[in-house]
């Protein structure tokens, strides 16, 4: 409560009306005693705090004609931050705020008390009311020598706004319990059904946002450093944005948070609005509009209370498959889970039976589950906590309750684990330990052992020593034994009957396309969720197990520029993949001649190009596997609702053709026009063949022409040749589609063309990697190498000999075709 010594109150208003109020303006301690009244008779008399920050008076919110006593910022925008009689409005302008029987009271025109500060009688002698510069309306003894002692203060009765210095929380010693409640509507400040409140049980505190009786968001438990789930505040901390800070106090007697600024040029408030959001608003001293610093819940999905249902974790970066079951758990409803709704949560694969061998698996850096069925003990260590949890058969998980100084305290959960999300604060040590059955623990140990063995083996091989044969044999034998229950697939699996229903028995009318490996159908689950169903051709010789492994790996590839695999179905002869459904079409519908139905500005094109590059970079480098797409083309780039590009069909090329060297010669997958020379001619593929295809795609996007159907009156070069010629003649911008009407950013376009030409260079080793491409596209200042002649830089009359077989396969078909070599399916 610093800064309160600045208290003082002035009265604003038109001078002739002053007689209503008794004012004493002594040298520096200015005090107004409301011995008579502040009336609402159209004279607009208000109280104003000394430095002119806050104003108190009668007002009518929105379109209402009711009258209320409120406090608002005197400067624009005149935001009301507190209302006295919010639940008992005056219906006319005959109200009067005055002091009566030692209380501050609001009277109606029959002089009935409508609102009162309600302090017990006999406490105060001759109180005065002051509006402080903090926005706090206080009642104080006139004669009081200690100006920080209040008989009553509005800060103890927050409405929907938390001002600087106001506490959100509770204090046992004073009986204070302050929390925010929303207005009913913009016209009605009475108590709405949204509250934001500090909740403390067994000494553990968190703030909780509720709508009616339902929890909508919680901050996560205060862990000594932060609220374990307030990810956004951590971000601000890391960005060292110093405009505001929170002051937190937690002990046996009190628990609260308080907003502070570090800089007087900014005013900060927290406001709870009636649609159920807490907004942190800032107002700079030179602005007349509030700026939203953040809102809570911040993330509409992972921050939403219990978004994933019980025993699941929400990971905001894994869009759109945000929810995953905790280790050892499986979705209660597979269908719902695949439909990306999740509310039913997860259940154990193997029930706990409390036998010997049960143990724990760590889930690192999470917002701890809500405090529903739990117990805590502040003096136990993590080790004791583990033992304690193990000894109680109904204990499902445990964690440290305080992470400061290496962690202390013990929290145990007994029921379902609710509302867990990732927080990804490195070193936050906010880890959760989940109890698993003996067999799950054993399989985890075995896979760890296997990893260790590989390390030992490779270490011993490289160091030239060899393990004793017997020991080695023993180890391997042990591992084989432990491997048996390793089979279950983590990806949601789906019943064939459901797929058949969803696609109307693979009805031709549901067919939306045909990818390289089979037809794609649109389907609708009974939950209403749209899905894309890819039915893989049956001729694949790949074993079931390998297929499962591959698919599971692909399912782990999650990136905003890749189409998400939601599940699979392996039943009878069928191998089916279920993807998220993308309602907007593929990129080719937007870029090629005559198909530009919608107006997309250059910026959107540039975004799409960069998005594809990032997706491809992820496939090539960032994912656990190194995936060569091998069939990158405009029709494999799908667009979501906001026209963000998503690469589809990735991974399958690898799935189907990976191991056999023969694949290189026997079955070339890819699409005419996008295939790199070395792939077309020698059947060699690498990440650089994808780079080539990316280059073609990029140049096509700019020019609006397909490489294949490209015709120029002056020469017989294909699109790549044409681009190369223009580049050398310093007329690169001529490549741009007339569609753009010259409204594009020249430097960006030139950079794109140069990158495109670098990608389609003849020799694979000259082509940049995707990581340099992303860098070159993202950085205005990047210095780009000069491109060399593209592959296929030949006039069309002189056919490239090596690729004849390829060309013969497809050259008579008009449309883009997926090239299928003689051994195709
Ligand atoms: C007041 O009424 C007008 C006209 O009906 C409406 O447009 C406006 O949104 C209302 N304002 C509030 C705060 O309800
Ligand atoms: C004035 O307030 C008193 C007490 O709340 C109430 O009984 C009375 O009906 C009110 N009169 C009017 C006109 O609102
Ligand atoms: C004042 O206290 C009485 C009894 O404790 C309560 O009924 C009344 O609602 C209170 N009034 C206000 C304005 O808080
Ligand atoms: C805003 O605050 C800054 C820092 O306190 C001060 O330098 C500046 O003069 C203020 N501007 C206005 C318009 O008050
Ligand atoms: C409440 O805040 C949210 C988040 O900023 C905003 O989207 C919404 O429009 C606000 N609702 C009202 C009624 O102001
Ligand atoms: C907390 O744990 C300690 C050590 O195990 C024990 O001595 C103490 O009684 C426990 N406190 C409570 C309240 O259970
Ligand atoms: C396990 O913990 C729960 C909750 O604290 C308690 O009710 C129960 O008695 C404990 N069971 C055993 C066997 O200690
Ligand atoms: C994308 O699809 C959505 C849903 O079908 C549609 O509303 C939107 O207009 C489409 N956007 C474009 C640019 O076609
Ligand atoms: C482009 O078109 C030419 C001729 O139409 C063809 O030879 C070539 O393979 C196509 N693809 C690339 C990447 O140049
Ligand atoms: C260019 O102009 C044409 C005709 O005015 C219009 O149809 C097209 O959408 C414009 N292109 C862009 C990118 O704005």
């Amino acid at each position: 409560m610093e800064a309160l010594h600045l208290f003082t109150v002035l009265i604003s208003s038109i001078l002739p009306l002053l007689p209503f109020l008794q004012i004493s303006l002594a040298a520096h301690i200015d005090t107004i005693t409301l011995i008579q009244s502040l009336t609402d008779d159209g004279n607009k008399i208000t109280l104003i705090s000394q430095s002119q920050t806050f104003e108190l008076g009668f007002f009518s919110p929105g379109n209402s004609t009711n009258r209320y006593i409120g406090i608002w910022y005197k400067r624009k925008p005149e935001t009301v931050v507190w209302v006295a009689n919010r639940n008992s409005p005056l219906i006319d302008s005959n109200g009067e705020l005055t002091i009566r029987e030692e209380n501050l009271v609001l009277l109606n025109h029959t002089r009935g008390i409508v609102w009162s500060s309600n302090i017990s009688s006999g406490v105060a002698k001759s109180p005065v009311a002051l509006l402080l510069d903090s926005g706090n309306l206080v009642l104080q003894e006139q004669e009081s020598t200690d100006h920080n002692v209040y008989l009553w203060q509005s800060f103890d009765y927050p409405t929907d706004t938390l001002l600087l210095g106001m506490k959100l929380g509770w204090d046992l010693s004073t009986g204070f319990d302050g929390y925010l409640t929303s207005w009913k509507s913009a016209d009605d400040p009475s108590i709405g059904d949204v509250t934001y409140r500090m909740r403390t049980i067994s000494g553990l505190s968190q703030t909780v946002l509720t709508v009616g009786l339902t929890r909508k968001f919680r901050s996560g438990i205060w862990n000594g450093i932060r609220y374990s789930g307030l990810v956004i505040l951590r971000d601000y901390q890391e960005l060292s944005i110093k405009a505001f800070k929170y002051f937190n106090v937690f002990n046996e007697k009190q628990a609260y948070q308080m907003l502070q600024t570090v800089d007087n040029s900014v005013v900060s408030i927290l406001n709870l609005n009636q649609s159920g959001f807490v907004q942190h608003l800032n107002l700079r001293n030179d602005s007349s509009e509030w700026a939203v610093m953040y809102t809570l819940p911040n993330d509409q999905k992972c921050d939403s209370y219990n978004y994933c249902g019980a025993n699941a974790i929400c990971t905001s970066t894994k869009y759109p498959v945000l929810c995953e079951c905790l280790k050892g758990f499986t979705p209660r409803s597979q269908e719902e889970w695949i439909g990306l709704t999740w509310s039913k949560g997860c259940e154990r694969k193997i029930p706990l039976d409390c036998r010997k061998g049960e143990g724990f698996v760590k889930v690192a850096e999470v917002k701890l589950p809500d405090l529903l069925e739990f117990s805590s003990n502040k003096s136990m260590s993590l080790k004791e906590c583990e033992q304690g949890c193990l000894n109680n058969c109904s204990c499902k998980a445990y964690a440290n309750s305080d992470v400061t100084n290496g962690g202390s305290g013990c929290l145990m959960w007994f029921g379902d684990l609710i509302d867990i999300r990732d927080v990804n604060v490195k070193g936050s040590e906010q880890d959760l330990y989940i109890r698993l059955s003996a067999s799950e623990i054993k399989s985890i140990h075995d896979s760890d052992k296997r990893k260790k063995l590989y390390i030992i083996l490779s270490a011993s091989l490289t160091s030239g020593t060899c393990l004793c044969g017997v020991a080695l044999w023993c180890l391997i034998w042990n591992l084989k034994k432990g491997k048996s229950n390793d089979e279950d697939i983590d990806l949601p699996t789906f019943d064939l009957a459901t797929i058949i229903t969803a696609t109307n028995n693979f009805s031709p009318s549901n067919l939306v396309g045909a990818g390289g490996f089979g037809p794609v159908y649109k389907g609708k689950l009974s939950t209403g969720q749209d899905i894309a169903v890819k039915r893989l051709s049956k001729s694949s010789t790949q074993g079931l197990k390998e297929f499962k492994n591959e698919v599971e790996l692909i399912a782990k590839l999650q990136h905003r520029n890749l189409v998400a695999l939601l599940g699979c179905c392996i039943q009878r002869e069928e191998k089916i993949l279920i993807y998220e459904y993308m309602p907007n079409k593929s990129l080719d519908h937007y870029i090629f001649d005559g198909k530009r139905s919608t107006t997309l500005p250059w910026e959107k094109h540039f975004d799409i190009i960069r998005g594809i590059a990032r997706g491809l970079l992820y496939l090539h480098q960032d994912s656990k596997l190194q995936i060569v797409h091998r069939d990158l083309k405009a029709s494999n780039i799908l667009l979501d609702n906001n026209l963000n590009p998503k690469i589809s069909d990735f991974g399958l090329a690898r799935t189907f053709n990976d191991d056999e060297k023969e694949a290189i010669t026997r079955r070339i997958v890819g699409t005419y026009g996008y295939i790199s020379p070395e792939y077309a001619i020698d059947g060699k593929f690498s990440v650089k063949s994808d780079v080539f295809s990316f280059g073609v795609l990029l140049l096509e996007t700019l020019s609006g022409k397909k490489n294949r159907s490209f015709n120029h009156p002056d020469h017989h070069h294909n699109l790549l040749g044409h681009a190369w010629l223009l580049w050398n003649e310093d007329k690169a911008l001529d490549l741009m589609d007339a569609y753009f009407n010259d409204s594009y950013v020249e430097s960006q376009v030139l950079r794109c063309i140069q990158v495109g030409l670098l990608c389609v260079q003849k020799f694979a080793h000259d082509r940049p990697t995707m990581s340099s491409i992303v860098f070159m596209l993202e950085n205005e200042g990047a210095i780009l190498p000069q491109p060399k002649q593209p592959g296929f830089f030949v006039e069309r009359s002189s056919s490239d000999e090596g690729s004849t077989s390829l060309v013969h396969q497809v050259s008579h078909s008009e449309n883009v075709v997926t090239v299928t070599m003689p051994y195709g399916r």
Side-chain angles (χ1 to χ4, degrees):
M1 288 285 163
E2 38 160 320
L4 295 193
H5 57 274
L6 289 173
F7 70 90
T8 29
V9 178
L10 280 180
I11 183 97
S12 88
S13 151
I14 311 122
L15 281 168
L17 298 164
L18 281 180
F20 281 101
L21 298 150
Q22 202 185 57
I23 311 163
S24 65
L25 287 171
H28 283 295
I29 308 155
D30 317 311
T31 314
I32 295 172
T33 56
L34 276 170
I35 285 176
Q36 276 112 10
S37 57
L38 187 65
T39 57
D40 183 27
D41 46 11
N43 299 317
K44 301 235 158 87
I45 300 177
T46 55
L47 288 179
I48 293 181
S49 71
Q50 190 194 37
S51 67
Q52 307 272 312
T53 312
F54 287 100
E55 186 166 15
L56 176 147
F58 287 92
F59 76 103
S60 294
N63 291 335
S64 163
T65 53
N66 287 338
R67 303 295 285 166
Y68 297 88
I69 284 284
I71 298 174
W72 55 88
Y73 278 98
K74 187 170 184 307
R75 59 185 283 205
K76 290 218 159 8
E78 291 182 344
T79 313
V80 175
V81 296
W82 187 76
V83 184
N85 55 323
R86 63 188 303 195
N87 287 325
S88 34
L90 292 165
I91 50 164
D92 54 29
S93 298
N94 296 313
E96 191 178 337
L97 184 68
T98 187
I99 285 176
R100 184 199 266 186
E101 289 154 10
E102 295 94 47
N103 263 310
L104 184 63
V105 293
L106 179 63
L107 306 175
N108 61 14
H109 83 280
T110 59
R111 300 199 58 81
I113 296 179
V114 169
W115 173 87
S116 160
S117 57
N118 234 9
I119 49 177
S120 349
S121 55
V123 173
K125 291 196 201 81
S126 70
V128 294
L130 313 170
L131 180 61
L132 307 183
D133 268 340
S134 57
N136 197 2
L137 175 67
V138 303
L139 261 189
Q140 215 171 36
E141 286 298 356
Q142 195 165 23
E143 310 289 298
S144 169
T145 44
D146 186 347
H147 292 299
N148 289 328
V149 174
Y150 310 125
L151 298 163
W152 177 92
Q153 57 176 332
S154 64
F155 269 23
D156 283 346
Y157 304 90
T159 56
D160 66 338
T161 305
L162 195 76
L163 295 172
L164 293 171
M166 204 161 171
K167 291 172 181 171
L168 183 76
W170 53 268
D171 187 339
L172 278 186
S173 60
T174 60
F176 164 74
D177 183 12
Y179 56 94
L180 302 182
T181 45
S182 69
W183 286 21
K184 269 222 173 78
S185 73
D187 298 331
D188 180 3
S190 63
I191 291 185
D193 63 354
V194 185
T195 61
Y196 187 55
R197 187 168 194 172
M198 178 78 67
R199 294 286 182 180
T200 307
I201 339 179
S202 307
L204 299 161
S205 296
Q206 57 183 344
T207 52
V208 178
L209 178 69
T210 48
V211 178
L213 295 172
T214 322
R215 292 194 164 193
K216 177 173 177 187
F217 166 77
R218 63 185 187 104
S219 65
I221 304 153
W222 177 260
N223 63 19
I225 297 177
R226 59 171 62 86
Y227 297 94
S228 69
L230 273 190
V231 178
I232 182 73
L233 288 189
R234 185 259 326 203
D235 289 348
Y236 273 109
Q237 209 169 321
E238 279 181 4
L239 294 171
S240 45
I241 290 174
K242 298 228 172 62
F244 62 89
K245 64 181 184 200
Y246 276 97
F247 182 71
N248 291 286
V249 172
F250 294 96
N251 56 44
E252 283 78 47
K253 295 217 177 68
Q254 51 190 3
Y256 62 82
Q257 57 172 254
M258 198 158 89
L259 203 53
Q260 299 179 317
T261 45
V262 279
D263 174 353
N264 285 331
S265 67
V266 182
V267 170
S268 262
I269 59 173
L270 280 193
N271 176 268
L272 178 66
N273 77 19
Q274 62 266 22
S275 14
F277 288 91
V278 175
Q279 293 175 299
H280 185 148
L281 303 169
N282 269 10
L283 184 62
R284 302 205 68 85
N285 64 359
D286 53 1
S287 163
S288 62
E289 260 176 65
W290 292 100
V292 182
M293 297 300 285
Y294 61 84
T295 57
L296 297 176
N298 189 253
D299 171 337
Q300 289 279 353
K301 304 215 150 85
C302 284
D303 269 355
S304 292
Y305 187 73
N306 200 17
Y307 183 70
C308 294
N311 308 312
I313 180 166
C314 194
T315 308
S316 53
T317 53
K318 293 200 172 164
Y319 184 84
V321 190
L322 297 162
C323 297
E324 283 172 310
C325 289
L326 293 170
K327 191 145 187 75
F329 289 78
T330 181
R332 280 194 183 126
S333 156
Q334 289 288 358
E335 182 169 347
E336 190 206 62
W337 208 256
I338 292 170
L340 303 181
T341 42
W342 302 304
S343 59
K344 292 202 178 76
C346 304
E347 61 196 4
R348 276 183 195 278
K349 286 184 195 152
I350 305 167
L352 296 175
D353 52 11
C354 212
R355 285 212 210 104
K356 209 168 176 303
E358 286 186 356
F360 298 92
V361 60
K362 176 164 111 174
V363 191
E365 290 157 4
V366 290
K367 170 180 179 178
L368 295 179
D370 200 4
L371 301 173
L372 301 179
E373 296 167 62
F374 75 103
S375 78
S376 76
N377 180 328
K378 297 217 157 155
S379 58
M380 275 161 87
S381 70
L382 195 62
K383 197 80 213 147
E384 291 168 329
C385 196
E386 173 173 4
Q387 205 50 52
C389 189
L390 211 50
N391 290 344
N392 186 326
C393 289
S394 43
C395 178
K396 304 286 163 41
Y398 72 91
N400 264 147
S401 56
D402 189 319
V403 301
T404 48
N405 303 324
S408 64
C410 174
L411 246 172
M412 295 183 208
W413 286 264
F414 297 101
D416 277 340
L417 305 170
I418 301 289
D419 196 35
I420 308 173
R421 67 161 296 175
D422 68 310
V423 292
N424 262 318
V425 183
K426 289 278 172 295
S428 75
E429 311 271 311
Q430 190 65 80
D431 301 335
L432 176 68
Y433 298 83
I434 313 241
R435 185 181 201 137
L436 291 184
S437 66
S439 54
E440 301 256 10
I441 290 291
K442 187 169 179 308
S443 78
I444 290 173
H445 279 191
D446 287 343
S447 78
D448 283 354
K449 245 193 255 165
R450 222 169 303 139
K451 267 186 223 141
K452 271 194 203 123
L453 172 66
Y454 292 137
I455 294 165
I456 294 169
L457 275 180
S458 54
S460 61
L461 287 178
T462 48
S463 67
T465 60
C466 192
L467 282 178
C468 160
V470 176
L472 188 59
W473 183 84
C474 281
L475 261 173
I476 290 171
W477 189 76
N478 261 326
L479 289 169
K480 274 197 179 145
K481 243 182 26 177
K483 214 170 178 174
S484 53
N485 57 9
D486 223 6
E487 299 258 324
D488 57 338
I489 190 162
D490 262 350
L491 181 71
T493 51
F494 215 69
D495 195 43
L496 184 58
T498 317
I499 297 289
I500 288 175
T501 316
T503 58
N504 198 5
N505 198 12
F506 301 106
S507 148
S509 60
N510 283 35
L511 198 62
V512 287
F517 305 96
V520 182
Y521 299 85
K522 182 183 175 180
K524 204 179 200 68
L525 297 177
S526 60
T527 55
Q529 166 87 19
D530 286 332
I531 50 173
V533 173
K534 178 168 238 172
R535 192 180 193 185
L536 300 175
S537 51
K538 291 178 186 165
S539 64
S540 155
T541 53
Q542 194 181 32
L544 200 59
K545 195 167 169 182
E546 289 76 23
F547 176 75
K548 276 186 180 175
N549 285 341
E550 286 290 349
V551 167
E552 206 170 321
L553 286 174
I554 295 167
K556 288 193 181 124
L557 297 177
Q558 291 185 340
H559 187 273
R560 53 182 292 127
N561 296 115
L562 301 182
V563 174
L565 180 63
L566 304 177
C568 69
C569 166
I570 308 168
Q571 221 166 318
R572 288 184 241 146
E573 294 280 78
E574 297 280 359
K575 291 177 193 155
I576 291 169
L577 298 173
I578 295 117
Y579 289 95
E580 62 177 323
Y581 181 73
M582 309 285 279
N584 288 326
K585 297 172 193 154
S586 47
L587 183 60
D588 53 336
H589 289 91
Y590 294 85
I591 59 174
F592 291 130
D593 312 289
K595 284 184 182 166
R596 300 209 192 226
S597 49
T598 11
T599 303
L600 290 189
W602 159 249
E603 284 68 32
K604 199 69 220 176
H605 285 85
F606 195 38
D607 284 347
I608 290 174
I609 290 168
R610 286 181 295 182
I612 301 168
R614 283 190 292 261
L616 208 50
L617 170 63
Y618 177 81
L619 284 181
H620 285 181
Q621 285 186 3
D622 295 347
S623 62
K624 290 188 190 97
L625 319 159
Q626 188 186 54
I627 301 239
V628 182
H629 187 292
R630 293 210 273 173
D631 198 10
L632 191 69
K633 57 179 169 182
S635 58
N636 270 340
I637 307 296
L638 304 184
L639 297 167
D640 74 5
N641 273 338
N642 302 317
L643 297 180
N644 296 315
K646 286 176 186 255
I647 301 174
S648 70
D649 255 8
F650 56 88
L652 279 185
R654 190 177 181 277
T655 305
F656 272 74
N657 300 283
D658 185 48
D659 37 84
E660 338 91 67
K661 278 203 197 72
E662 298 150 278
I664 292 172
T665 50
R666 261 179 43 195
R667 190 192 291 151
I668 295 178
V669 233
T671 299
Y672 186 62
Y674 292 91
I675 300 173
S676 64
E678 73 276 9
Y679 187 28
I681 298 165
D682 304 328
K684 282 186 195 158
F685 64 87
S686 68
V687 288
K688 294 295 183 71
S689 8
D690 278 355
V691 169
F692 188 94
S693 310
F694 175 75
V696 176
L697 183 57
L698 205 170
L699 294 172
E700 286 182 342
T701 307
L702 302 182
S703 65
K705 312 272 188 311
K706 280 184 217 188
N707 170 46
R708 237 199 116 227
S709 51
F710 182 76
N711 276 309
H712 198 278
D714 299 344
H715 58 71
H716 296 290
H717 289 295
N718 60 25
L719 173 63
L720 308 187
H722 177 58
W724 169 246
L725 292 179
L726 288 175
W727 176 259
N728 284 320
E729 290 163 20
D730 254 352
K731 294 192 296 197
L733 289 173
D734 288 1
L735 187 68
M736 288 300 275
D737 195 346
Y739 161 84
F740 287 107
N741 305 328
D742 290 338
S743 62
Y744 45 73
V745 184
E746 233 179 79
S747 64
Q748 288 173 352
V749 168
L750 285 173
R751 203 140 33 94
C752 281
I753 296 176
Q754 193 167 355
V755 168
L757 286 171
L758 285 168
C759 291
V760 297
Q761 292 176 107
K762 183 166 183 185
F763 296 108
H765 58 82
D766 285 335
R767 296 175 209 145
T769 59
M770 281 320 293
S771 59
S772 359
I773 292 166
V774 168
F775 182 81
M776 293 188 284
L777 291 174
E778 306 267 345
N779 291 282
E780 193 75 44
I783 296 171
L784 278 55
Q786 277 305 314
K788 296 179 190 158
Q789 180 172 307
F792 295 121
F793 181 68
V794 279
E795 299 225 9
R796 249 168 295 191
S797 45
S798 63
S799 147
D800 191 326
E801 286 213 350
S803 60
T804 46
S805 69
L806 174 65
V807 173
H808 283 155
Q809 283 292 316
V810 290
S811 57
H812 300 298
S813 151
E814 257 312 297
N815 300 315
V816 174
V817 222
T818 294
V819 175
T820 314
M821 293 309 281
Y823 303 91
R825 299 136 299 232

